Amino acid sequence: MARQRILSGVQPTGNLHLGNYLGAIRNWVETQSQYENYFCVVDLHAITVPHNPATLAEDTYTIAALYLACGIDLNYSTIFIQSHIPAHSELTWLFNCITPMNWLTDMIQFKEKSVKQGENVGVGLLDYPVLMAADILLYKADQVPVGEDQKQHLELTRDIVNRFNHQFGEVLKLPHPMIRKEGARVMSLTDGTKKMSKSDPSELSRINLLDSADEISKKVKRCKTDPIKGLSFDVPERPECQNLLTLYMLLSGKTKEAVAAECQDMGWGQFKPLFTETVISALQPIQQKYQEVRADKTYLESVLREGREKAAAIANQTLAEVKAAMGYSVPL
Ligand code: TYM
């Protein structure tokens, strides 16, 4: 039987943090041998908020290199850059014309991000989920592994499939969100009720995959805790405790029961150094591999060139099917 297909992506906005890793990339790596996988760097999404043209290309390469450094294996997975395949933009336009405006104005991320942009909010930010739907549907993906914050965008993608197939015939495949329980919503280090985010103005709120040991140590020392001694999971009034124990569990590879037993009598003064060491040693192999990949630009370029060829073949085929279903003539 053919393997199910997976598609996912990350935006090249700044560095990747533990939320991106534990909510998305680490899960891609863990299941990649069971699927046919496509992982893109979504650089068209990156310009939906003001961006820096001087760093966009380098940031895009950084994310592609981090995919490899985190363990994406080219025997199972294809890595490519979204903007290198024009079908993503073209399908977005076709979907724009069948997507009701209010589906987009209702999106939580649009509401949150547009507040920050004020009067300058661009049409691209509103259209962001339609582009995301095009990313997924071009590859007829069965599963889409993402963090919890993308759930609503996946629902919109499914709504677009149903609407399109109803109007034009069964062309598109209905994708399923793949959201793990643990790690799907990593919280900020400075406020356990807020999601860890690239756009938080405080660097102290997140640990980036490329942070040095000193930076990690400083961020953990200053992270928010509470005055209660004894650490335990699942106490709603202790969101920071829940977040830090979950991170410790995921990065140490220990079970929840083992972590609960180990930490039940600890104070923060004992936990923080242990946590710091765990984060540093979990990130060390990723950082080392990242340096190796980054040092060989020819290799990275060849990976992306090959990825583009493989991905474009599938994307162009789907785009042709969509256009035919919508009644477009074939170019002569
Ligand atoms: P981005 O770059 O914002 O996030 C990349 C991935 O990281 C997850 N994530 C988190 N997971 C747990 N805790 C957090 N604090 C946290 N912050 C981020 C996100 O859920 C995501 O899986 N719109 C997508 C990019 C995208 C995409 C796609 C994804 C564009 N096209 C097609 C899947 C399929 C995004 O949020 O990227």
Side-chain angles (χ1 to χ4, degrees):
M1 222 175 72
R3 283 165 196 245
Q4 284 206 333
R5 197 176 278 165
I6 273 192
L7 180 125
S8 199
V10 170
Q11 296 188 64
T13 32
N15 210 319
L16 291 193
H17 54 64
L18 283 180
N20 302 127
Y21 180 57
L22 297 171
I25 302 173
R26 197 169 91 148
N27 304 329
W28 308 351
V29 171
E30 273 176 22
T31 59
Q32 64 184 331
S33 64
Q34 301 158 42
Y35 295 95
E36 179 192 346
N37 312 275
Y38 291 84
F39 298 121
C40 55
V41 184
V42 293
D43 55 348
L44 295 171
H45 280 102
I47 65 165
T48 55
V49 292
H51 81 287
N52 181 357
T55 58
L56 180 62
E58 276 310 300
D59 290 346
T60 303
Y61 275 92
T62 297
I63 304 297
L66 276 170
Y67 285 180
L68 293 168
C70 289
I72 294 298
D73 181 340
L74 299 173
N75 290 310
Y76 305 114
S77 305
T78 300
I79 299 176
F80 66 98
I81 296 175
Q82 183 191 36
S83 70
H84 290 182
I85 302 186
H88 290 249
S89 307
E90 191 172 350
L91 187 61
T92 302
W93 176 256
L94 301 176
F95 285 166
N96 277 340
C97 298
I98 63 153
T99 305
M101 185 85 165
N102 67 318
W103 288 8
L104 300 179
T105 48
D106 282 350
M107 291 287 113
I108 298 165
Q109 280 208 353
F110 172 70
K111 288 186 194 159
E112 285 173 3
K113 288 191 187 175
S114 58
V115 171
K116 290 186 199 154
Q117 304 294 318
E119 283 195 348
N120 286 323
V121 60
V123 176
L125 193 65
L126 181 69
D127 209 24
Y128 177 117
V130 180
L131 177 58
M132 181 163 159
D135 296 340
I136 296 165
L137 300 177
L138 275 176
Y139 299 90
K140 301 196 172 168
D142 299 285
Q143 305 280 345
V144 184
V146 284
E148 176 74 33
D149 61 340
Q150 295 304 308
K151 200 167 167 207
Q152 201 186 29
H153 290 159
L154 258 297
E155 280 158 13
L156 181 103
T157 303
R158 290 167 59 88
D159 289 343
I160 290 178
V161 172
N162 289 329
R163 195 174 174 90
F164 184 95
N165 286 352
H166 179 71
Q167 284 185 29
F168 302 110
E170 290 285 321
V171 174
L172 302 172
K173 187 157 202 177
L174 202 61
H176 298 274
M178 192 191 247
I179 300 174
R180 293 267 183 105
K181 190 168 161 277
E182 312 290 358
R185 196 169 168 80
V186 172
M187 308 310 274
S188 156
L189 294 187
T190 46
D191 179 349
T193 63
K194 263 178 35 191
K195 173 183 90 160
M196 185 177 285
S197 158
K198 290 175 199 162
S199 58
D200 192 312
S202 167
E203 269 296 323
L204 291 174
S205 68
R206 61 187 161 261
I207 293 177
N208 297 316
L209 298 192
L210 298 177
D211 278 351
S212 68
D214 280 351
E215 282 166 323
I216 294 169
S217 169
K218 183 175 119 196
K219 288 176 180 179
V220 175
K221 269 198 195 110
R222 297 184 54 186
C223 79
K224 187 172 173 205
T225 53
D226 56 32
I228 306 167
K229 189 165 156 54
L231 310 180
S232 52
F233 285 103
D234 305 319
V235 183
E237 313 78 72
R238 302 185 73 188
E240 287 81 19
C241 187
Q242 175 72 15
N243 189 42
L244 294 169
L245 286 188
T246 305
L247 289 175
Y248 176 56
M249 173 184 82
L250 292 171
L251 294 172
S252 67
K254 294 179 182 169
T255 63
K256 188 170 176 182
E257 293 70 36
V259 171
E262 183 185 359
C263 302
Q264 64 184 345
D265 298 321
M266 273 187 196
W268 291 111
Q270 203 182 347
F271 177 79
K272 280 190 170 184
L274 174 70
F275 180 60
T276 303
E277 279 316 306
T278 304
V279 178
I280 292 171
S281 53
L283 297 187
Q284 199 272 335
I286 295 175
Q287 298 184 350
Q288 191 183 336
K289 181 84 201 293
Y290 173 79
Q291 296 308 338
E292 285 165 29
V293 177
R294 263 319 214 157
D296 189 351
K297 191 147 192 202
T298 318
Y299 170 68
L300 188 57
E301 282 170 350
S302 75
V303 168
L304 294 171
R305 201 174 308 117
E306 224 171 274
R308 174 170 59 86
E309 279 168 19
K310 277 177 76 177
I314 299 174
N316 291 338
Q317 168 68 31
T318 306
L319 181 65
E321 289 169 23
V322 166
K323 289 177 79 173
M326 291 179 84
Y328 279 95
S329 62
V330 179
L332 300 173

